[in-house]
Amino acid sequence: MTSTAQASASARRAVFPFTAIVGQEEMKLALLLNVIDPKIGGVMIMGDRGTGKSTTIRALADLLPEIPVVANDPFNSDPNDTDLMSDEVRQQVAQGLEIPITHKKVQMVDLPLGATEDRVCGTIDIEKALSEGVKAFEPGLLAKANRGILYVDEVNLLDDHLVDVLLDSAASGWNTVEREGISIRHPAKFVLVGSGNPEEGELRPQLLDRFGMHAEIRTVKEPALRVQIVEERGEFDQNPPVYLEKHQAPQIALQEQIVNAQNLLPQVNLDYDFRVKISEVCSELDVDGLRGDIVTNRAAKALTAFEGRTEVTVDDIRRVITLCLRHRLRKDPLESIDTGYKVEKVFCRVFGVELPEDSTQKTGAGVKAGAR
C-alpha cells in the first residue's frame, strides 16, 4: 500500500472488517460472487432485523481494492474501457486528448427510502439548456454508483416505479434521463444489493426475479456464537485502529483472492453435461424464463474462480444453485415446504447425488471469507 493510500485509508471512517464477520456465510458468499462477476445481477438479502446486513455490505465495499477512474469525472468513468466511460470522456479519447487518471475506493451508495426519481437518476436544467445551449445535467445516485455497489435497504418498502428504474439500469448498464426533448445518458454499471425483512412485505415476483441471487439470513441461535459476535463488535468499537491492524493480513489475503478470481474467471470451464443438468433442474422446478439458468452458470463459475480452479464441479453447482433459484419458484400459499429445500431435492435427483441429512439447512455455508 502506498503512503498516499495509507493516508486516505486513515482519513476514512473505520469500517468493521469483512473477514471478522461471524456466521452469515450464505450472504457473504452471494456478495463475493457478485463482486467477482457483476453480471450475476446483484443479490437480494432477506432476513431478520439486526443480522448485520448493512455492516456486511459496507465491509465488502471497504475490502475491495481501489480502481482507476478519470479524475474529476462524476460518473467514475473507467479510463481503459469505453463501455464504462461517459460520452464526454469517450469524445476526449476519440480526439486523442490526454485523460487525467486517479485511483479511488469502490463506492458504496446507500439509497434512502424517501429518494425521488430525480435524486436517483439525476436532473436536467432545462432553463440552462435552452438559454446557453448546453446539456446541463446534475448527476444522481446512479452516476455515483457506477462501477460500485448500490445498496437499497428495505427494498420491499421502496416505490415500485423506483425499483423498476434501478433494475433497468442494473440490467442495461446505462441510465437515461429525458426531459422536454433533451436526452442524456451515462454508464451505470453497479452491483445491486437489496435487503429487507419478510415481515414488512414481499417484493413482487417479477421484480424479485430480476435479482441474480437471493440470500436468506436468520438471527444466530447458538449462545457461544452470539457471545463471539458481541465480543468482536465490542473490541472493534473500543479501539478500531488496533482491531483493524489485527485483521489486516486476512483482509489483504481475501482482497488478493478476489482480484485473482476476477482475472481467472474467463478461463473457467463449465462442462456441457453440467449445463444441460442445470437447465433440467430449472425446467423441473418450472422456473419462468432463462435467468435462473444463466445466473446459476455464472455463479458456479465465479465460485470456481474464487477457489482458484478452472473446472466447475458438481459441488460448486450445489453450493450456488439454491441461492440462484429459490426466489424464482412460483409461490403456493398452501405449501409449507421451504423453497430452498425444493431446489436442493430436485438438484440431487437430476445430478444423481445423495440428499444430505442437513439439507433443510441453508446451502452456501461451506465457504468462509478468505478460506481456500
Side-chain angles (χ1 to χ4, degrees):
M1 195 185 269
T2 63
S3 56
T4 312
Q6 284 175 330
S8 63
S10 60
R12 287 197 310 271
R13 186 171 60 88
V15 176
F16 194 82
F18 190 86
T19 52
I21 293 168
V22 178
Q24 309 301 10
E25 305 298 341
E26 186 172 291
M27 170 172 61
K28 291 193 289 191
L29 175 64
L31 289 169
L32 286 169
L33 297 186
N34 270 277
V35 166
I36 292 164
D37 184 3
K39 288 181 180 174
I40 286 172
V43 57
M44 178 68 190
I45 302 165
M46 290 298 272
D48 304 329
R49 294 180 297 273
T51 44
K53 297 187 287 285
S54 302
T55 300
T56 306
I57 294 149
R58 286 191 181 87
L60 179 69
D62 187 66
L63 169 76
L64 299 176
E66 291 189 339
I67 53 172
V69 296
V70 175
N72 304 315
D73 180 79
F75 310 109
N76 301 318
S77 292
D78 188 334
N80 305 311
D81 186 347
T82 51
D83 284 344
L84 293 170
M85 287 180 187
S86 63
D87 291 339
E88 189 181 334
V89 173
R90 198 184 290 110
Q91 285 170 7
Q92 291 175 2
V93 171
Q95 292 166 10
L97 300 175
E98 191 176 336
I99 306 295
I101 299 172
T102 185
H103 285 73
K104 66 190 291 188
K105 286 292 288 181
V106 169
Q107 292 268 34
M108 201 283 272
V109 178
D110 248 319
L111 185 78
L113 260 183
T116 61
E117 188 177 346
D118 283 352
R119 178 79 182 96
V120 174
C121 299
T123 55
I124 299 172
D125 188 335
I126 295 295
E127 193 177 326
K128 192 172 182 182
L130 294 175
S131 62
E132 299 178 25
V134 293
K135 290 185 177 180
F137 179 61
E138 184 65 39
L141 293 175
L142 291 181
K144 192 177 176 186
N146 186 38
R147 302 176 67 209
I149 297 170
L150 182 64
Y151 177 48
V152 189
D153 194 11
E154 309 294 358
V155 69
N156 44 345
L157 301 181
L158 199 65
D159 182 66
D160 280 347
H161 172 61
L162 268 186
V163 177
D164 281 329
V165 168
L166 293 178
L167 292 169
D168 284 343
S169 292
S172 68
W174 289 88
N175 172 45
T176 305
V177 181
E178 293 185 355
R179 194 171 164 211
E180 307 290 339
I182 296 172
S183 178
I184 289 176
R185 69 171 205 152
H186 66 78
K189 287 193 176 179
F190 48 82
V191 174
L192 180 63
V193 181
S195 72
N197 184 346
E199 294 172 6
E200 292 166 352
E202 291 288 339
L203 210 59
R204 294 202 323 255
Q206 60 269 43
L207 295 182
L208 196 54
D209 177 64
R210 299 280 288 277
F211 283 91
M213 303 178 87
H214 183 281
E216 288 184 358
I217 55 174
R218 296 283 174 264
T219 303
V220 175
K221 299 293 183 190
E222 295 173 45
L225 268 183
R226 292 173 75 113
V227 169
Q228 187 186 345
I229 293 166
V230 171
E231 286 177 350
E232 292 283 348
R233 186 71 214 192
E235 194 182 332
F236 170 77
D237 289 339
Q238 191 173 357
N239 196 333
V242 171
Y243 190 84
L244 292 175
E245 182 69 31
K246 190 173 84 172
H247 286 87
Q248 189 176 11
Q251 287 278 104
I252 291 170
L254 181 55
Q255 188 184 87
E256 287 174 359
Q257 193 177 349
I258 291 168
V259 173
N260 292 338
Q262 289 169 335
N263 296 329
L264 185 63
L265 188 61
Q267 300 164 41
V268 175
N269 177 56
L270 177 56
D271 191 76
Y272 177 75
D273 287 345
F274 288 167
R275 280 179 272 156
V276 170
K277 285 181 176 178
I278 287 169
S279 291
E280 195 180 327
V281 172
C282 294
S283 181
E284 275 203 40
L285 288 167
D286 203 19
V287 172
D288 290 331
L290 293 170
R291 279 201 189 100
D293 308 52
I294 293 166
V295 170
T296 306
N297 278 264
R298 285 193 174 281
K301 285 183 174 181
L303 176 56
T304 303
F306 180 63
E307 298 193 339
R309 295 176 282 108
T310 55
E311 280 294 329
V312 177
T313 66
V314 173
D315 192 54
D316 294 328
I317 300 167
R318 183 190 66 77
R319 282 147 74 191
V320 300
I321 197 163
T322 304
L323 289 164
C324 300
L325 298 183
R326 67 149 67 95
H327 58 303
R328 304 180 197 279
L329 271 55
R330 293 181 182 181
K331 294 279 190 296
D332 182 350
L334 300 176
E335 197 170 48
S336 59
I337 187 170
D338 177 62
T339 52
Y341 175 70
K342 271 179 80 172
V343 173
E344 188 158 13
K345 196 175 174 185
V346 173
F347 165 82
C348 289
R349 187 168 69 250
V350 170
F351 277 81
V353 297
E354 198 175 326
L355 189 68
E357 288 179 18
D358 62 343
S359 58
T360 49
Q361 293 177 6
K362 307 301 173 209
T363 57
V367 172
K368 290 201 174 185
R372 281 188 185 269

